[in-house]
Amino acid sequence: MIDRLYLRAAGTSLLLDLRDGDVRVAHWGADLGDQAPDPALVSGSAPHSAFDDPAPVSLIPQPARAWRGTPGLAGDRAGRAFSPRLVVQDASLEPADGTGGQRAALVLRDEASALQVDVALTLAPGGLLLVDQTLTNLGADDYAVAALDVSLPVPAQATESLDLTGRWAREKHPQRHRIDQGTWTRSARHGRTGHDSTLVIAAGTPGFGWRSGEVWALHLGWSGDHTSRIERAGDGQTLLAVGELLKSGELVLGAGESYTAPTAFAAYSSHGLDGVSAGFHDWVRGREGHPSTPRPVVLNTWEAVYFNHDLHVLKSLADAASDLGVERFVLDDGWFLGRRDDTRGLGDWFVDPDMWPLGLTPLIDHVRDKGMQFGLWVEPEMINQDSELAREHPDWIARPAGAHGRTSPTWRRQQVLDLVNPDAWDHIFERLDALLTENAIDYLKWDQNRDQVELGHDGVASTHAQTLAAYRLFDALRAAHPNVEIESCSSGGARVDLGILQRTDRVWASDTNDALERQTIQRWTQLVLPPELVGAHVGPSTAHTTGRTHALSFRAITALFGHFGIEWDVRGLTDAERTELRAVIDFYKANRSLIHTGRSVRIDRPDESDAAYGVVSHDRSRALFVYATLATSPNELSSRLRIAGLDPDARYRVTLGLPLDEHAIAHRSLPHWLTSDEGEVVVTGRVLAEIGVPLPGLYPEHALVLALSQVE
Ligand code: GLA
């Protein structure tokens, strides 16, 4: 059998050592060239009071392979078979189906424990590594699975960790630590991905930034409970690991049964987080079914009218939206049976006859007559105890102790519908299918608004099964209504992961439309997701979630680098606001093909009082950059904007993309290039990267856009 597997793509190499029947990760990181190096090189010497054969940690770390940290596979047969020793049975390397990447397939088995693990490692052309693992019980008795994680080692120079955390209306905030011996674990036990869920667990060279340093990052494509960790063992070996978190008794494999773990995504970059991001964005954009039509300008009714569903009001809102250039009108929560507020009605997916005596058709027709698409809010996985559905089927509420046992504490007055129960699943499918069949609906805003930490079906923990049942619901509805797009919303950004994105077309990154908060949330959500998948709306002048007031220019420019929309009662705009918003919408429409296909570039700024980021077309002929002030600056002058990612030898014309908001200007004068007759400067990419352009002094919490295009 082959003694090594060597995969290479886009500056990343993976070298697996298969000698001794084990799979040891000799290298995951920078490209090592054409020839697979001898993996023996990486084995060290044996210290005293230690295992006799030091070797790199296995792809599935096992005590039986001299690993003293967290095992990659854990479980038992009523206490037995607790320490498997997996041996390679088969290994192959082939081109990955039609993608231009490579795929290594491994079969590992432990005869004594009667377990088999099939591993597929797919290296995408952009350098992203996908790891898929399936565990099969080859024995006659049950095997209870405790964990099947994906682990990958990082080298000693990775001394700093990065992960993200958050809460409602403040998702995806970074935190950094020095990597020391021990384990840094981010557990997500929400019954959904979670507001605080880290999109990636990353390690890098000291001080790694957006454009510099080596970085290794792992993401788990899963919308249920999961763990992400960095572990440095006593021998200094350091692992990144991700995996599903399973509760006791939750996953028991009968004879011949298998468990397929969620796909783990691993990105390496030799040039900072932008390289990690590029690996993810390339892969995400290369998927079959990635949205390919221009992302329509959205108006979502939530912050405009909340539960006040009045046909007359909604029609005039649609008129005002259409007048601005909106292309998709989304009716949010409040349209179904008995739903007057957020305490009741979930589960009763019938149009409320009191609020909507003629059904949704009059509104839908009105919206469509204006040339807009129609979208509708649903929350199919939930049930209010105050609903017809709960009164009729109280046993359909997912409960920890059996169908008639106690319920869990409520959250937003709601419970989780037990979708593992086929009758409940069928009922919800039928309701949604009927809604989509009977109404001309182009889009669903699919919400999921609660944590549920003790999900149960028939008295057994069911987060795993519930997550798969929800996935099946998305998949079945998509198959039945292939033209309906779906947004993943979960009290804002509590379900943002590449598992849900296999069956949805965008995420609602956060319930906050405060542009200052959004600067951070969108920046870090887009570490993994390209901008076209991240909903970003212009909210009202004073944000409903924070009470902060921002200029329209800041709110609109912040929403520009995403899937642009509005969440504001635009019936009452002043003429000036209408003109300004229309101009931004026109600008978005003219530039969305660039924003939604180009390479994301974030600028490492000297301090945190401002942020700069942009997108550069793949041929580097065009670019857009945003400069945003987040706080007062320690300096009188803002440091020049050094623009990365351009062709150093090409000459670029730099202009303002949108007129400067005169109320944003904090200084007595503007930089010379902006006051020249042309209002532009022409310089090479090299000069822009090294010297940069002087910026106007802006008050805090304001922004501007620069447009760049190559000149001959
Ligand atoms: C959640 C969503 C919001 C809105 C409300 C409606 O909080 O995140 O955008 O749809 O539900 O109840």
Side-chain angles (χ1 to χ4, degrees):
M1 199 170 32
I2 47 179
D3 69 348
R4 71 194 77 171
L5 285 170
Y6 183 52
L7 292 79
R8 293 177 73 204
T12 297
S13 288
L14 175 72
L15 177 63
L16 302 175
D17 175 3
L18 304 186
R19 296 166 306 154
D20 309 330
D22 194 6
V23 188
R24 304 203 186 261
V25 185
H27 174 79
W28 168 47
D31 184 24
L32 301 177
D34 286 347
Q35 299 297 318
D38 184 349
L41 178 73
V42 296
S43 298
S45 49
H48 290 292
S49 187
F51 290 109
D52 293 327
D53 292 319
V57 61
S58 309
L59 182 65
I60 299 177
Q62 300 149 62
R65 297 285 188 183
W67 174 246
R68 288 167 287 169
T70 311
L73 166 62
D76 67 288
R77 299 177 186 280
R80 299 185 179 275
F82 71 94
S83 184
R85 182 176 184 276
L86 297 167
V87 178
V88 180
Q89 308 296 311
D90 193 23
S92 60
L93 180 61
E94 288 167 6
D97 297 343
T99 64
Q102 293 171 292
R103 186 171 184 276
L106 292 150
V107 180
L108 313 176
R109 202 176 296 149
D110 177 11
E111 302 291 354
S113 305
L115 294 172
Q116 176 168 315
V117 185
D118 290 83
V119 184
L121 299 143
T122 310
L123 190 61
L128 192 71
L129 177 69
L130 279 64
V131 187
D132 290 288
Q133 301 186 141
T134 297
L135 170 70
T136 303
N137 176 10
L138 304 176
D141 54 348
D142 288 351
Y143 180 79
V145 186
L148 178 60
D149 296 340
V150 166
S151 311
L152 284 168
V154 294
Q157 68 265 30
T159 55
E160 197 171 311
S161 75
L162 168 86
D163 56 84
L164 308 181
T165 188
R167 61 165 169 84
W168 177 75
R170 197 183 190 275
E171 297 86 340
K172 312 285 180 297
H173 276 57
Q175 49 186 15
R176 289 190 181 230
H177 293 93
R178 197 179 76 179
I179 300 174
D180 288 316
Q181 279 190 10
T183 307
W184 171 249
T185 303
R186 297 296 318 284
S187 304
R189 299 173 199 272
H190 304 279
R192 57 176 169 177
T193 321
H195 282 117
D196 66 350
S197 161
T198 182
L199 259 187
V200 295
I201 186 92
T205 48
F208 65 89
W210 285 101
R211 307 288 304 176
S212 68
E214 279 191 290
V215 192
W216 294 258
L218 265 186
H219 165 85
L220 191 70
W222 184 241
S223 315
D225 293 357
H226 62 284
T227 182
S228 312
R229 62 178 180 271
I230 297 182
E231 184 163 20
R232 172 159 291 181
D235 62 7
Q237 291 196 85
T238 307
L239 293 183
L240 299 179
V242 291
E244 185 178 2
L245 272 177
L246 295 163
K247 297 191 176 73
S248 302
E250 179 163 20
L251 195 64
V252 178
L253 299 179
E257 288 182 347
S258 295
Y259 161 59
T260 296
T263 302
F265 299 81
Y268 162 76
S269 165
S270 59
H271 52 282
L273 289 162
D274 268 359
V276 167
S277 205
F280 279 106
H281 290 191
D282 280 355
W283 182 82
V284 168
R285 285 175 168 165
R287 297 168 311 157
E288 204 181 312
H290 185 72
S292 54
T293 53
R295 301 292 74 210
V297 176
V298 172
L299 182 129
N300 183 285
T301 61
W302 182 239
E303 289 199 357
V305 300
Y306 291 106
F307 288 102
N308 174 22
H309 282 202
D310 176 286
L311 182 59
H312 177 72
V313 169
L314 288 164
K315 275 184 171 175
S316 56
L317 187 59
D319 292 343
S322 154
D323 179 52
L324 286 166
V326 166
E327 299 161 309
R328 176 183 283 167
F329 184 88
V330 181
L331 181 66
D332 210 286
D333 194 358
W335 57 269
F336 48 97
L337 205 60
R339 185 71 165 176
R340 297 290 172 281
D341 54 38
D342 65 4
T343 65
R344 50 196 153 145
L346 290 173
D348 296 341
W349 302 108
F350 297 88
V351 180
D352 188 280
D354 295 338
M355 300 282 276
W356 296 88
L358 301 173
L360 296 174
T361 308
L363 180 64
I364 296 180
D365 285 351
H366 187 81
V367 164
R368 297 193 135 230
D369 285 349
K370 297 263 163 201
M372 295 186 287
Q373 299 178 8
F374 182 79
L376 190 67
W377 182 95
V378 290
E379 197 182 355
E381 299 148 78
M382 295 291 150
I383 181 166
N384 281 124
Q385 267 153 319
D386 186 358
S387 67
E388 296 304 321
L389 190 68
R391 281 184 278 276
E392 213 172 308
H393 298 284
D395 55 318
W396 286 5
I397 296 174
R399 299 165 192 253
H404 299 286
R406 69 173 171 87
T407 50
S408 257
T410 53
W411 174 305
R412 210 190 190 207
R413 295 279 180 274
Q414 63 196 61
Q415 294 286 357
V416 176
L417 185 69
D418 180 11
L419 290 176
V420 185
N421 177 333
D423 295 337
W425 191 98
D426 286 348
H427 171 80
I428 288 299
F429 175 79
E430 184 280 321
R431 276 292 77 228
L432 293 176
D433 182 47
L435 273 169
L436 294 176
T437 306
E438 289 159 12
N439 298 285
I441 295 170
D442 304 284
Y443 176 81
L444 289 178
K445 176 180 177 183
W446 184 311
D447 217 332
Q448 197 286 28
N449 275 322
R450 71 158 290 172
D451 279 9
Q452 182 21 318
V453 292
E454 47 169 14
L455 269 172
H457 171 78
D458 271 352
V460 175
S462 66
T463 306
H464 171 76
Q466 176 82 14
T467 307
L468 291 179
Y471 281 175
R472 278 201 308 280
L473 193 59
F474 280 94
D475 295 344
L477 281 161
R478 283 191 79 107
H481 304 276
N483 296 324
V484 175
E485 288 197 10
I486 304 181
E487 169 174 55
S488 169
C489 174
S490 187
S491 324
R495 190 152 66 181
V496 175
D497 62 77
L498 293 182
I500 202 70
L501 273 165
Q502 286 299 88
R503 43 211 31 109
T504 50
D505 301 283
R506 70 170 220 171
V507 300
W508 184 228
S510 179
D511 271 354
T512 189
N513 291 309
D514 176 323
L516 181 63
E517 300 293 329
R518 278 275 177 165
Q519 280 289 332
T520 304
I521 294 166
Q522 289 170 199
R523 160 175 286 234
W524 290 98
T525 302
Q526 292 180 10
L527 174 63
V528 169
L529 273 52
E532 63 272 23
L533 297 185
V534 181
H537 295 177
V538 179
S541 318
T542 299
H544 292 189
T545 50
T546 60
R548 279 199 200 102
T549 299
H550 286 128
L552 179 53
S553 58
F554 184 47
R555 282 140 57 212
I557 290 171
T558 299
L560 206 53
F561 271 63
H563 179 180
F564 184 92
I566 301 170
E567 195 149 335
W568 182 19
D569 187 352
V570 289
R571 290 175 305 160
L573 300 193
T574 63
D575 287 347
E577 283 173 331
R578 197 173 305 112
T579 306
E580 188 177 349
L581 191 49
R582 222 182 254 143
V584 176
I585 288 172
D586 289 347
F587 184 79
Y588 167 76
K589 288 179 179 171
N591 288 284
R592 61 186 156 191
S593 65
L594 168 61
I595 298 169
H596 294 166
T597 60
R599 178 129 297 181
S600 293
V601 173
R602 292 77 163 190
I603 308 296
D604 291 303
R605 295 287 293 164
D607 65 68
E608 293 183 349
S609 64
D610 61 24
Y613 53 93
V615 64
V616 179
S617 64
H618 283 272
D619 65 1
R620 294 188 291 182
S621 65
R622 292 176 61 209
L624 287 177
F625 276 83
V626 169
Y627 165 71
T629 51
L630 309 178
T632 53
S633 168
N635 305 312
E636 288 161 358
L637 294 176
S638 359
S639 42
R640 284 185 300 265
L641 180 61
R642 299 171 72 208
I643 300 180
L646 303 172
D647 177 351
D649 297 319
R651 278 159 34 89
Y652 291 86
R653 170 177 293 116
V654 186
T655 57
L656 285 171
L658 285 165
L660 207 53
D661 178 351
E662 60 189 47
H663 301 294
I665 300 165
H667 286 182
R668 281 196 295 153
S669 68
L670 293 173
H672 178 69
W673 72 274
L674 276 173
T675 52
S676 65
D677 287 346
E678 297 77 22
E680 63 178 44
V681 62
V682 176
V683 268
T684 62
R686 182 171 285 108
V687 170
L688 286 167
E690 294 304 331
I691 300 179
V693 284
L695 290 161
L698 297 190
Y699 287 124
E701 301 172 29
H702 282 86
L704 58 81
V705 189
L706 297 181
L708 290 87
S709 55
Q710 268 185 27
V711 293
E712 293 306 316

